[in-house]
Amino acid sequence: MKNYTITVNGNVYNVTVEEGTTAGAAPVVSAAKAAPAPKAAPEAPKAAAPAGAAGSVEVTASVPGKICKIEANVGAAVKAGDTVLVLEAMKMEIPVVAPQDGTVATINVAVGDAVESGDVLATMN
């Protein structure tokens, strides 16, 4: 018997393969979903600058990638968790969300731009 851990579509499975002793017999495979790995603590939202400061909250890239969609316009009111931009990284689309309620003050990138982790993609009031 051999044990393997595989990841399929983000789900982790523990797989056990029993090797048969009969010639030509197919191995018996059993799989059980592994317990989810502990998630890292979410990053605390950045504190807003004093009222009236333009672009007081930065919306940053969490991973390097390429901008594939811009969902919000400058001046748009957004709520915390609303998608502002979509970043393509590791063959996935990753939404970049507003860290708090507010208004989009600037968008600093265009579709197709390559970005690095920590780059400021937009600012909010």
Side-chain angles (χ1 to χ4, degrees):
M1 236 186 322
K2 292 185 179 182
N3 293 317
Y4 300 94
T5 301
I6 62 171
T7 303
V8 178
N9 293 334
N11 294 313
V12 178
Y13 296 91
N14 292 324
V15 178
T16 303
V17 178
E18 295 179 20
E19 296 184 22
T21 56
T22 307
V28 176
V29 178
S30 62
K33 190 169 184 176
K39 294 184 179 181
E43 184 178 314
K46 295 179 181 181
S56 58
V57 176
E58 295 179 340
V59 179
T60 60
S62 58
V63 295
K66 181 176 78 171
I67 302 298
C68 63
K69 293 179 190 171
I70 297 177
E71 298 282 329
N73 297 318
V74 171
V78 293
K79 298 208 177 281
D82 285 353
T83 301
V84 177
L85 304 141
V86 179
L87 180 66
E88 182 182 329
M90 300 173 283
K91 297 183 181 180
M92 299 184 304
E93 289 187 357
I94 301 169
V96 180
V97 299
Q100 67 183 38
D101 294 357
T103 303
V104 177
T106 64
I107 296 183
N108 305 330
V109 292
V111 172
D113 285 356
V115 297
E116 294 297 323
S117 181
D119 284 356
V120 177
L121 308 177
T123 55
M124 294 179 49
N125 291 328

